[in-house]
Amino acid sequence: MEILRGFKDVLPKDIEKWHKLERIARDTLESFGFKEIRTPVLEKTSLFARGVGEDTDIVEKEMYTFLDKSEESVTLRPEGTAGVVRAFIDNHMENLPYKKYYYIGPMFRYERPQKGRLRQFNQIGVEVFGISNPSVDAEVVYMDKVMLGKLGLNNLRIEINNIGCSRCRPGYMKKLKEYFYEHKDGLCEDCKRRLEKNPLRILDCKNKNCRLIAKNAPLITQFACAECKEHYEKAKVKLKNLNIEFIENPYLVRGLDYYTKFVFEIITDELGAQGTVSAGGRYDGLVKQLGGGDIPGIGFASGCERLIELMEFEEDKLFEYYVANLESDDYAVEIAAKLIEVTQKRVYVEYEKKSLKSMMKKADKMNASFVVIIGENEKNSNTVVLKDMKNSTQNEYKLKTFLDNEVKRWV
């Protein structure tokens, strides 16, 4: 039996990387006043069709959608924002004093698996509601940058753009469509389809010919309304005030229809084509579109698998203590329990009938710091033998002395 294509097991040898990533993310986001929210992985399909956009690649081609037993169409969430907005509306969270949230969890998209992109992948995301001030745009980018810095990620660049709003974008889309119709024969098949439904997405195509054609396309800056221009310019000032370096990329668009005004991506050149490690922007009309009030929003999401790949790790100890149990099960468990209580470290008790030599080899493979050797003699004399694996030293201690003095030296 093989695992499904595009899915991956996270094994014990790698789990410490995930724990570190999640710990740093939680600590960073909570230090900025964000509260965690957890939403279902399964939602009504209509949520994503209305929220993400029926004409996006995600909704058209990539969602895991099926009928449940009541014949209702449901979908495994392909992204986090729509579900958080739905929860915000359903639970009347506009009445809460805090409106900054973060989430960590799995998403699902049926797309071609490749380096840094799986069909089940995990995201760390944030959402902010009810704040239209461009200062929060800068804060979100700054917070994202701080989090990535604490994860040890370097050589990143920040790209930003103004993609307009529901008032100014239609005029731009009309001009964009006219331009790409003149060059339709040179577009790839996906972009020919996008031309009819969402020409903005052509600007983000990775096809070489499409990129060449897009270089001469009209820019949103020529059509953005005064409000969008003002908001974007103020956001840039705020970013500069926070000493955040950025590049303006007029071709930067997001793959989700709900984005408005300010958008950004944080990119690395160390992952090949899949170089975006974090991305987001403002979505001022989404809450209203999904049935809530006219409440602005902004957020970002980072792909955990890509972050893990970029993070540097020292080899971690699977277990600090390995209890070499020479047929003294009860005494071994008693020692392990006391060790855990005193040290709060990871302790592995051996129950397989092995020779001491075999146990020492196993402890070495586990990269244990210490081996606690226990047999009938130790049980009868209420002692333990402790071997320091790093220094290759070995000593016998009375149990009380061991717990009261020796162990505490290494806590």
Side-chain angles (χ1 to χ4, degrees):
M1 185 68 71
E2 294 182 352
I3 193 170
L4 286 169
R5 185 168 182 255
F7 291 74
K8 185 179 180 180
D9 298 312
V10 180
L11 303 177
K13 67 183 181 66
D14 297 317
I15 202 66
E16 290 299 323
K17 300 176 182 179
W18 285 85
H19 288 169
K20 180 179 179 180
L21 168 62
E22 292 165 7
R23 182 178 66 254
I24 290 174
R26 291 180 195 280
D27 290 347
T28 304
L29 301 176
E30 290 181 6
S31 72
F32 277 84
F34 282 70
K35 304 286 288 184
E36 185 178 8
I37 185 170
R38 301 185 185 186
T39 61
V41 297
L42 194 65
E43 300 268 12
K44 294 181 179 180
T45 303
S46 57
L47 171 67
F48 302 112
R50 290 173 59 190
V52 176
E54 292 184 355
D55 298 329
T56 60
D57 287 353
I58 292 173
V59 173
E60 285 192 337
K61 301 189 296 183
E62 297 173 0
M63 295 202 311
Y64 279 89
T65 298
F66 56 93
L67 296 178
D68 65 12
K69 291 187 177 182
S70 65
E71 297 296 306
E72 180 166 32
S73 181
V74 293
T75 296
L76 289 170
R77 63 185 183 194
E79 58 90 51
T81 299
V84 176
V85 172
R86 193 268 312 144
F88 181 82
I89 298 168
D90 280 358
N91 295 283
H92 307 288
M93 293 165 70
E94 70 277 5
N95 298 320
L96 296 177
Y98 54 87
K99 297 180 177 63
K100 297 181 178 181
Y101 309 95
Y102 76 90
Y103 57 86
I104 303 174
M107 312 293 163
F108 304 84
R109 295 184 193 176
Y110 190 87
E111 53 187 344
R112 185 170 64 87
Q114 51 190 294
K115 185 178 181 180
R117 175 176 287 180
L118 297 170
R119 288 176 175 174
Q120 176 180 323
F121 57 98
N122 292 269
Q123 285 188 340
I124 297 166
V126 307
E127 315 295 349
V128 181
F129 298 104
I131 304 175
S132 58
N133 190 325
S135 293
V136 81
D137 301 38
E139 180 191 16
V140 164
V141 177
Y142 177 71
M143 180 176 64
D144 197 356
K145 183 174 180 288
V146 168
M147 181 182 73
L148 297 177
K150 288 183 177 180
L151 294 171
L153 274 61
N154 300 305
N155 302 318
L156 300 173
R157 71 178 183 274
I158 299 173
E159 297 186 357
I160 67 172
N161 193 24
N162 172 13
I163 61 169
C165 66
S166 59
R167 291 186 296 275
C168 57
R169 198 182 298 163
Y172 173 56
M173 297 282 269
K174 180 181 178 182
K175 291 294 182 181
L176 206 58
K177 186 175 288 190
E178 290 174 357
Y179 170 80
F180 283 122
Y181 259 117
E182 294 175 2
H183 302 83
K184 184 176 180 179
D185 291 344
L187 298 176
C188 69
E189 291 305 312
D190 278 343
C191 283
K192 287 177 181 177
R193 176 179 52 80
R194 290 167 180 153
L195 178 55
E196 300 298 329
K197 297 181 177 181
N198 191 351
L200 194 66
R201 296 291 295 121
I202 301 176
L203 298 176
D204 195 38
C205 183
K206 300 300 185 286
N207 179 279
K208 184 178 179 180
N209 286 338
C210 295
R211 292 178 74 88
L212 288 172
I213 293 171
K215 280 189 175 181
N216 295 314
L219 300 178
I220 184 64
T221 50
Q222 300 168 303
F223 298 87
C225 65
E227 181 182 328
C228 288
K229 287 181 179 178
E230 182 182 10
H231 183 98
Y232 181 66
E233 291 302 319
K234 286 182 177 179
K236 289 196 296 181
V237 171
K238 302 296 182 182
L239 289 171
K240 290 176 182 176
N241 290 344
L242 290 171
N243 296 316
I244 298 175
E245 296 182 0
F246 58 85
I247 299 169
E248 292 187 72
N249 178 1
Y251 302 101
L252 173 63
V253 295
R254 304 294 303 124
L256 311 171
D257 282 355
Y258 52 64
Y259 282 111
T260 60
K261 298 179 181 176
F262 178 84
V263 295
F264 75 96
E265 289 188 1
I266 300 182
I267 303 166
T268 178
D269 293 323
E270 297 179 19
L271 291 177
Q274 302 303 320
T276 300
V277 296
S278 194
R282 185 163 283 280
Y283 48 86
D284 288 350
L286 183 58
V287 178
K288 185 176 182 180
Q289 184 178 329
L290 293 179
D294 191 7
I295 298 172
I298 185 172
F300 73 77
S302 299
C304 295
E305 284 78 8
R306 296 182 188 180
L307 298 180
I308 290 285
E309 195 166 338
L310 291 167
M311 291 169 64
E312 294 183 0
F313 296 93
E314 295 180 3
E315 185 178 5
D316 196 60
K317 302 288 184 186
L318 286 175
F319 303 96
E320 280 79 18
Y321 292 94
Y322 176 93
V323 179
N325 171 25
L326 298 171
E327 299 186 13
S328 298
D329 295 353
D330 295 341
Y331 191 53
V333 173
E334 180 185 343
I335 297 300
K338 290 178 179 178
L339 269 176
I340 293 168
E341 181 182 348
V342 172
T343 68
Q344 302 297 307
K345 301 294 185 181
R346 290 164 292 191
V347 180
Y348 185 93
V349 179
E350 185 60 73
Y351 291 107
E352 294 183 50
K353 304 306 178 185
K354 294 174 175 284
S355 67
L356 180 58
K357 184 178 180 180
S358 296
M359 289 186 189
M360 298 303 293
K361 287 183 177 179
K362 185 172 180 179
D364 188 54
K365 288 181 180 178
M366 289 181 169
N367 200 21
S369 299
F370 302 97
V371 176
V372 182
I373 304 170
I374 297 170
E376 281 299 313
N377 290 338
E378 287 74 29
K379 179 180 179 181
N380 293 334
S381 60
N382 205 34
T383 61
V384 298
V385 174
L386 180 72
K387 183 175 179 63
D388 185 326
M389 298 295 282
K390 181 179 180 182
N391 299 319
S392 297
T393 58
Q394 183 172 306
N395 295 286
E396 184 176 11
Y397 301 96
K398 282 291 185 180
L399 180 57
K400 188 175 188 308
T401 302
F402 172 66
L403 293 174
D404 289 349
N405 299 313
E406 294 303 314
V407 168
K408 291 180 182 178
R409 288 165 47 194
W410 305 298
V411 174

